Amino acid sequence: MTGAITTRLFSSLLVVLGSSMLVFIIMYLLPGDPVLIMLDGNASTPEAIASLKSHLGLDQPFYVQFYRYFIHLLQGDFGVSRVNGDLVLPKILEHLPATLTLTLVSVSVSLVVGILLGVLSAIHRNGVIDFAARFIGLFGISMPAFWTGILLLLLFSIQLGWFPAMGSDGWKTLVLPGLTLGLIGAGFIVRMVRNTMLEVLGEPYILTLRAKGLSERSVMYGHALRNSLIPALTMIGLTVGELLSGTVVTETVFARQGIGRILADAILSKDIPVVQGVIFFTAMIYVLTNLIVDISYSFIDPRVRRSQLKGGV
Amino acid sequence: MKEATALKPIRKITWKASVSLRRISASSVFLYAACLVVIFMTACAIAPQWIAPYSPEVMDPNQLLQPPGAVHLLGTDYFGRDVFSLVVYGARDSLLIGVASVLVGGGLGGVIGALSGYIGGWVDVIVMRLIEILMSIPGILLALAIAAAVGPSLFNIVLAVSAGVIPNYARVMRSQVLTVKNKPYVLASRSIGSSELSIFLKHVLPNSLSPFLVMATVGIGSSILTSSGLSFLGLGVIKEIPDWGTVLSQGRGYLTVAWWICTFPGAAIALFVLSVNVIGDRVRDTLDPRKSGD
């Protein structure tokens, strides 16, 4: 099994490197002279512009720039911001915890709400609870994050004054953004859990359990739920990706610190090194989460473990 | 709780029969409502001048930041423009971007996935690695980067949003093609001497389409979500007639004094996407009864 994990780890690494190269290529094809954007309309002599260009290595052909970028990336050098000259890596590392905390809170909200509603919905199939849960699920995946955020702001900050409208200090500032993103994730998970739970309830072994006289509670929570949670686990991996991209909008709405907000600002000011850096980290978190999810299958599901021991991945 | 669980076995037995009954009940009401919303908003997109009471460009300096009322159904914004009319006119660009992104992104992704799956071998390996790389960048981030790179225009926004969804469509299409291409009828067709192209076009493609179609239906909604997110972050198309995301974004600064400017365009987005998802769920159930979740 260690072999399988090593292989997956290696291919994940390749994916992250590949995605950062892809972003480099996209950004290279970007129209607009980065040096002129840096100078931001400040009058400058053509000589000064040329020297700045050669200082940044932007006068080199594509393959040289690409090679340099790649070598620097492997050395952990993400370059400097073209807007204010800050080193990219420390800036990202400084803001990363805030985003990770927000993502973690939102994933927790998603899981708790999503699994709870999904299970209740399947158990009370076609009842009022099912109807409500399904509607909440649909609502979660249909609401734009910025709108949910603004509505929550209007109600809980501006009208009721319970939570601060902006900032990122203390747990109180986490509640509204966490809910905003959590509801989206919950929407995906409710639908997933409900569907798999209904599928599992149709399996012959559930009939067997009922036939042998097991209590309904034990059938539901002891057997059906446990078997329904495996697909929900896959959803965690995908939800993290969804929520990470959601942080760009959510951090902007709630004026929170974080790499999502850095990305939004960097994109508007065409600060390419920062954009590349943030996307690299986002891709890494996303790929890592999915790797962990994949590996945890083998601990949770004996069938996967057995097939891995036989040599499959 | 006790009663409900006790009833379970009976429900189990009558499950098949209840399917047809259930379909005329509450969820059908939802389906009809969803269809109405989609039809109304499509009408707004096609002929806004028949529905909107005011022109979205008319600014009335005497009517700045009016709350919703009889004269202005959904209030006015800081230029004195009627918010209801803005929402009606905003439907055009919002819906256009949603549909076009699905056509471009879904079309490209579908073709890539189908060919990759059908040809197989090293082509499949390479294409799928590339798709995997593309997938590791969340769609909206890719859209953001591209939108920032190519600048705001309707075409560019469609391009940006499409790029983010290509991998999803490619994967769904490929997995379906992989299943279908090993079916006995494909083998039968090959054994009577059909060309690979005709097998692909006549048998494999049509039989692989249904999950793809479900995804495309729901995809219109999610493309609208993504594009309005771009508009919200300031990467949208700047025009005299703004789309929903732009109206909302512009109203943000007035949140404390005029909640209606942000709320209603957002409600339009949410309502439309919700309706599309309701319809998409039904399309899924109809095309794939095995997976029927509702």
Side-chain angles (χ1 to χ4, degrees):
Chain A
M1 202 170 83
T2 346
I5 294 176
T6 319
T7 319
R8 281 286 284 119
L9 202 65
F10 187 69
S11 74
S12 303
L13 196 70
L14 283 183
V15 166
V16 172
L17 281 179
S19 65
S20 56
M21 286 179 188
L22 187 75
V23 173
F24 180 86
I25 294 170
I26 293 174
M27 288 296 146
Y28 182 82
L29 297 174
L30 175 163
D33 192 331
V35 170
L36 293 182
I37 293 166
M38 268 180 84
L39 294 171
D40 197 21
N42 289 334
S44 195
T45 59
E47 292 80 33
I49 291 176
S51 93
L52 188 57
K53 240 183 191 170
S54 84
H55 175 69
L56 291 170
L58 292 173
D59 53 348
Q60 303 286 330
F62 172 75
Y63 60 90
V64 175
Q65 287 191 37
F66 187 73
Y67 174 76
R68 278 192 183 160
Y69 170 73
F70 187 61
I71 294 298
H72 285 161
L73 191 69
L74 290 181
Q75 293 168 342
D77 178 3
F78 287 81
V80 292
S81 159
R82 291 201 186 139
V83 172
N84 48 27
D86 289 347
L87 275 171
V88 173
L89 188 61
K91 192 173 172 182
I92 291 178
L93 290 181
E94 183 195 332
H95 288 81
L96 194 60
T99 302
L100 285 184
T101 318
L102 176 58
T103 312
L104 211 64
V105 170
S106 337
V107 171
S108 314
V109 172
S110 307
L111 280 179
V112 172
V113 176
I115 293 179
L116 195 74
L117 287 182
V119 167
L120 285 177
S121 178
I123 292 179
H124 301 280
R125 183 176 182 154
N126 301 327
V128 181
I129 298 180
D130 181 24
F131 200 69
R134 275 163 57 196
F135 192 71
I136 294 173
L138 263 177
F139 223 64
I141 62 166
S142 308
M143 304 257 282
F146 46 88
W147 191 59
T148 328
I150 285 174
L151 288 189
L152 290 175
L153 255 181
L154 268 173
L155 184 63
F156 292 106
S157 300
I158 296 172
Q159 289 295 322
L160 299 171
W162 290 356
F163 299 104
M166 49 175 62
S168 36
D169 299 317
W171 65 271
K172 272 194 166 184
T173 59
L174 267 171
V175 177
L176 296 183
L179 266 181
T180 305
L181 283 176
L183 278 179
I184 299 176
F188 286 104
I189 293 176
V190 169
R191 291 158 65 89
M192 184 80 191
V193 170
R194 178 179 186 273
N195 282 351
T196 35
M197 183 101 174
L198 286 176
E199 231 163 76
V200 167
L201 285 175
E203 295 281 334
Y205 64 80
I206 297 291
L207 195 64
T208 313
L209 292 173
R210 286 198 174 121
K212 76 172 187 183
L214 219 56
S215 74
E216 198 61 24
R217 179 174 292 263
S218 162
V219 170
M220 289 294 175
Y221 297 101
H223 297 272
L225 177 60
R226 288 179 60 164
N227 280 294
S228 311
L229 286 184
I230 294 161
L233 195 68
T234 320
M235 285 304 285
I236 299 178
L238 299 174
T239 311
V240 164
E242 198 72 30
L243 298 185
L244 272 175
S245 31
T247 56
V248 180
V249 163
T250 313
E251 285 172 0
T252 307
V253 171
F254 291 98
R256 280 181 63 81
Q257 275 200 339
I259 58 168
R261 180 118 172 274
I262 290 184
L263 180 67
D265 293 343
I267 279 176
L268 289 179
S269 56
K270 297 206 176 179
D271 193 348
I272 300 160
V274 177
V275 173
Q276 284 165 341
V278 175
I279 291 189
F280 178 86
F281 271 88
T282 318
M284 202 164 72
I285 297 169
Y286 182 55
V287 169
L288 261 181
T289 318
N290 280 299
L291 181 69
I292 294 170
V293 166
D294 276 5
I295 294 172
S296 62
Y297 275 142
S298 55
F299 291 104
I300 295 169
D301 192 341
R303 284 169 300 185
V304 179
R305 189 158 56 227
R306 228 166 287 139
S307 78
Q308 273 184 351
L309 284 176
K310 277 181 203 149
V313 178
Chain B
M1 180 85 183
K2 262 248 142 59
E3 274 169 62
T5 46
L7 278 175
K8 210 71 195 180
I10 302 166
R11 268 196 204 159
K12 190 83 209 135
I13 295 161
T14 56
W15 189 79
K16 279 263 149 46
S18 70
V19 169
S20 53
L21 261 179
R22 203 159 27 85
R23 293 223 156 139
I24 341 170
S25 63
S27 75
S28 284
V29 175
F30 260 118
L31 184 69
Y32 291 132
C35 288
L36 277 181
V37 169
V38 171
I39 291 169
F40 176 71
M41 288 192 176
T42 312
C44 289
I46 295 170
Q49 66 275 18
W50 293 349
I51 297 163
Y54 301 90
S55 158
E57 291 163 274
V58 168
M59 301 178 188
D60 187 348
N62 299 320
Q63 296 281 325
L64 300 183
L65 298 174
Q66 290 296 310
V71 185
H72 294 284
L73 200 60
L74 305 181
T76 62
D77 70 356
Y78 40 88
F79 294 128
R81 296 181 297 185
D82 181 57
V83 173
F84 178 63
S85 303
L86 279 174
V87 171
V88 169
Y89 274 86
R92 179 171 288 173
D93 278 2
S94 304
L95 264 54
L96 194 66
I97 293 171
V99 174
S101 307
V102 169
L103 287 179
V104 176
L108 273 176
V111 169
I112 293 171
L115 286 178
S116 171
Y118 191 68
I119 297 170
W122 59 269
V123 175
D124 189 39
V125 172
I126 292 176
V127 171
M128 285 336 278
R129 281 296 91 78
L130 285 177
I131 292 290
E132 209 174 299
I133 288 172
L134 210 54
M135 277 204 102
S136 72
I137 309 173
I140 191 169
L141 295 192
L142 197 65
L144 269 171
I146 295 177
V150 291
S153 80
L154 207 58
F155 178 77
N156 289 345
I157 299 289
V158 170
L159 195 78
V161 177
S162 322
V165 297
I166 288 175
N168 304 334
Y169 287 100
R171 274 167 67 116
V172 166
M173 199 63 189
R174 173 178 172 269
S175 72
Q176 199 63 21
V177 165
L178 284 182
T179 323
V180 172
K181 80 170 183 181
N182 290 321
K183 294 262 162 148
Y185 56 77
V186 174
L187 189 65
S189 180
R190 191 168 287 136
S191 68
I192 59 166
S194 310
S195 72
E196 286 300 314
L197 187 68
S198 108
I199 295 175
F200 178 68
L201 292 179
K202 271 196 196 150
H203 302 291
V204 176
L205 208 55
N207 284 299
S208 313
L209 273 179
S210 48
F212 177 80
L213 290 179
V214 175
M215 203 172 170
T217 318
V218 180
I220 297 175
S222 54
S223 293
I224 290 180
L225 282 185
T226 308
S227 68
S228 56
L230 295 184
S231 302
F232 176 79
L233 290 171
L235 290 168
V237 192
I238 311 295
K239 295 206 302 193
E240 307 80 62
I241 303 174
D243 68 320
W244 291 333
T246 310
V247 180
L248 195 153
S249 168
Q250 289 171 349
R252 245 183 90 210
Y254 301 83
L255 203 56
T256 43
V257 286
W259 54 269
W260 51 90
I261 309 176
C262 267
T263 310
F264 294 119
I269 299 171
L271 200 61
F272 185 80
V273 178
L274 188 69
S275 306
V276 167
N277 283 335
V278 168
I279 295 171
D281 276 1
R282 181 53 63 91
V283 174
R284 185 193 59 202
D285 293 354
T286 316
L287 290 180
D288 188 5
R290 190 173 46 84
K291 271 193 177 167
S292 155
D294 300 298

